[in-house]
Amino acid sequence: VRGTVTVSRMSKHSLPLSHVTTGRSPAWSSQSSSPAPSPRFGPGHGLSTSWTRPASGPNGASTRSSAMYPPKETGYATAFVAAMGKDLYTDYSLVACSKAQALTELFLDGSANDAVPEMFFEKPPEGQAQILREAVGVVDGCDHEAALVCAGVLHDVLKLLADSMATAQIAAGFMELISKLSCCKESAEILRGAAAVERVVTQMEAFPMDHNVQIHGCWAIYCLAGRSTPWKRWQDQASRAVPGLLAALRNHSRNGRIQANACAALGNLVFKHPGHQQQVLASEGLELLLMALEIHSKDESVLVFSTFWMRNMAAELEQNRTQLCVLGATLQITKTLQRFYTSCPIATNCVLIMRILAGNADGAAQQLCDDGAAEAIIEAMSFHSGCPHLGHTVASQSFLREGCGALVAIAQS
């Protein structure tokens, strides 16, 4: 029926290699936890009351009694337990607990190289930026288990932060931490509980021309909004981010990383969300989308996420489809498929967009025929057929199915 589009698993997409998060994802159970020696976060080590640095630590006595942090009864460790809903860390691996401990030490007493222990909030801006760089190194490669535990640390720190940050380096550091620790639904939920989305948007607005702030801010919004499986509740929490993401596209049109990350975040926020789609349409967001496709026509990351965003826009509202056709999206998508037919994520997004437009936008099928879309689809299907007699060994049944659907839509219209 014209005007109604149903595409299964529309929000799912494959990440380009440049955006894949490393790390394993073990089962969270006592069976997966490491054997003795037990971590310092654990039974008999004071976890349920307060975290205390051992006397042999590199920086001397603990600074937990400072007025900048909660008292003993509500210290970091208690907050960890509350956030996780666990009595003890017996179900978590030594790696996860060690990362959480290292992250806590950084924010409490700074780098191990510091001559005098000093909390993060008492350091000058350059000292805070250095701690954040080290913190990013600590959480880099976190699996989901470690991310969950470390998110409890960052949750407490975010709750104590002022709304404004002193420098762009500090803002970028926090946003990179947020994005790395939002690698699973549970850890992202913990960070959203500390108003992480609002803090990211505020810093993107405060430093609109800083490349690193925009790169990590856009990606943090994508992660906090559910990554490849957005939920409406999470999308609603990030509604304020839409204007900032469009501004990032507009202000940094030549920066491929910003374009890719902003397109990823917008693709999440508009998925089955008419309100966000109206925001994009009213702010000339589709023009920015097609500009990203044109300027970065050889950048796979930009193409994966921009076609993902276009797919989710085309699937919902008729006015989106009409505007895309007016702006020449059929030609742009055909060119993209011709160049990147070997990339399954890009090719799949392209044929899905073609199918949607051909079946639901007046004149789109003829435009696609004139642009050579049918030939491009057939060439891509041949590559992904896996037929040895055609000289191809790459097989993708899902792409072949979507390719056939696009050809049928073009032929029937």
Side-chain angles (χ1 to χ4, degrees):
V1 178
R2 186 174 295 278
T4 302
V5 181
T6 301
V7 179
S8 62
R9 299 184 299 278
M10 180 66 75
S11 68
K12 295 286 188 180
H13 62 280
S14 300
L15 294 180
L17 291 177
S18 59
H19 288 71
V20 171
T21 302
T22 58
R24 58 183 179 86
S25 304
W28 299 349
S29 66
S30 57
Q31 284 73 26
S32 67
S33 60
S34 298
S38 60
R40 275 190 275 167
F41 279 168
H45 295 276
L47 174 65
S48 60
T49 55
S50 174
W51 176 83
T52 306
R53 178 192 313 286
S56 59
N59 293 326
S62 170
T63 58
R64 67 175 185 179
S65 60
S66 169
M68 292 291 290
Y69 280 83
K72 175 178 179 180
E73 291 74 15
T74 58
Y76 271 125
T78 303
F80 296 161
V81 175
M84 246 60 68
K86 299 281 185 181
D87 293 327
L88 293 171
Y89 274 105
T90 53
D91 288 347
Y92 295 95
S93 69
L94 179 61
V95 171
C97 293
S98 297
K99 283 182 177 290
Q101 179 178 297
L103 198 60
T104 303
E105 289 187 357
L106 275 173
F107 283 109
L108 278 177
D109 284 343
S111 171
N113 297 323
D114 292 343
V116 179
E118 192 174 38
M119 284 191 300
F120 174 84
F121 296 98
E122 296 172 352
K123 287 184 172 293
E126 59 271 18
Q128 293 184 358
Q130 176 60 32
I131 287 178
L132 289 169
R133 284 191 291 271
E134 294 188 31
V136 167
V138 168
V139 304
D140 193 35
C142 271
D143 57 33
H144 290 186
E145 185 180 19
L148 180 65
V149 185
C150 290
V153 183
L154 188 56
H155 172 279
D156 278 8
V157 176
L158 291 174
K159 295 286 281 187
L160 295 172
L161 279 178
D163 290 337
S164 60
M165 297 184 188
T167 67
Q169 289 78 12
I170 294 174
F174 270 112
M175 286 187 281
E176 188 172 5
L177 271 179
I178 289 170
S179 64
K180 285 182 178 295
L181 292 178
S182 299
C183 59
C184 67
K185 181 175 67 175
E186 293 81 3
S187 62
E189 191 67 38
I190 291 173
L191 295 176
R192 281 192 295 270
V197 174
E198 292 79 2
R199 292 188 179 280
V200 169
V201 174
T202 298
Q203 300 316 309
M204 289 180 66
E205 293 172 347
F207 303 100
M209 303 310 297
D210 187 89
H211 287 185
N212 286 330
V213 169
Q214 299 302 314
I215 287 170
H216 296 302
C218 292
W219 192 245
I221 294 297
Y222 169 76
C223 297
L224 289 166
R227 290 181 174 255
S228 60
T229 54
W231 289 5
K232 189 176 186 304
R233 177 169 63 88
W234 297 354
Q235 291 173 312
D236 290 339
Q237 290 180 0
S239 291
R240 186 183 151 207
V242 174
L245 293 167
L246 293 172
L249 287 172
R250 190 175 292 110
N251 293 334
H252 305 275
S253 60
R254 298 285 174 180
N255 189 302
R257 289 187 66 189
I258 294 176
Q259 295 289 303
N261 293 358
C263 286
L266 285 163
N268 260 13
L269 295 181
V270 304
F271 174 64
K272 294 185 177 180
H273 199 296
H276 289 167
Q277 293 186 26
Q278 292 285 3
Q279 275 186 278
V280 169
L281 201 61
S283 303
E284 299 183 343
L286 292 181
E287 287 85 345
L288 294 172
L289 166 56
L290 289 169
M291 186 184 300
L293 272 171
E294 182 175 357
I295 293 176
H296 301 278
S297 60
K298 298 181 181 179
D299 188 320
E300 183 177 357
S301 297
V302 176
L303 296 178
V304 167
F305 290 122
S306 58
T307 54
F308 163 66
W309 175 19
M310 185 186 295
R311 189 184 75 184
N312 289 347
M313 290 290 290
E316 283 296 318
L317 303 179
E318 183 177 353
Q319 56 187 322
N320 292 343
R321 296 188 284 272
T322 300
Q323 186 66 9
L324 284 169
C325 290
V326 169
L327 294 172
T330 56
L331 178 58
Q332 196 74 298
I333 286 299
T334 301
K335 288 181 177 179
T336 301
L337 180 58
Q338 290 169 341
R339 294 190 189 105
F340 282 87
Y341 66 90
T342 60
S343 169
C344 195
I346 295 175
T348 300
N349 285 342
C350 287
V351 296
L352 281 170
I353 294 167
M354 290 174 177
R355 191 186 89 186
I356 293 167
L357 294 180
N360 298 274
D362 292 333
Q366 186 60 53
Q367 289 182 30
L368 287 166
C369 284
D370 295 342
D371 296 334
E375 294 83 354
I377 294 171
I378 292 170
E379 183 178 6
M381 290 178 67
S382 172
F383 179 83
H384 293 281
S385 65
C387 297
H389 66 279
L390 295 177
H392 301 301
T393 57
V394 178
S396 172
Q397 291 185 355
S398 62
F399 176 76
L400 295 177
R401 179 180 65 249
E402 304 300 353
C404 289
L407 288 173
V408 169
I410 293 173
Q412 290 181 340
S413 302

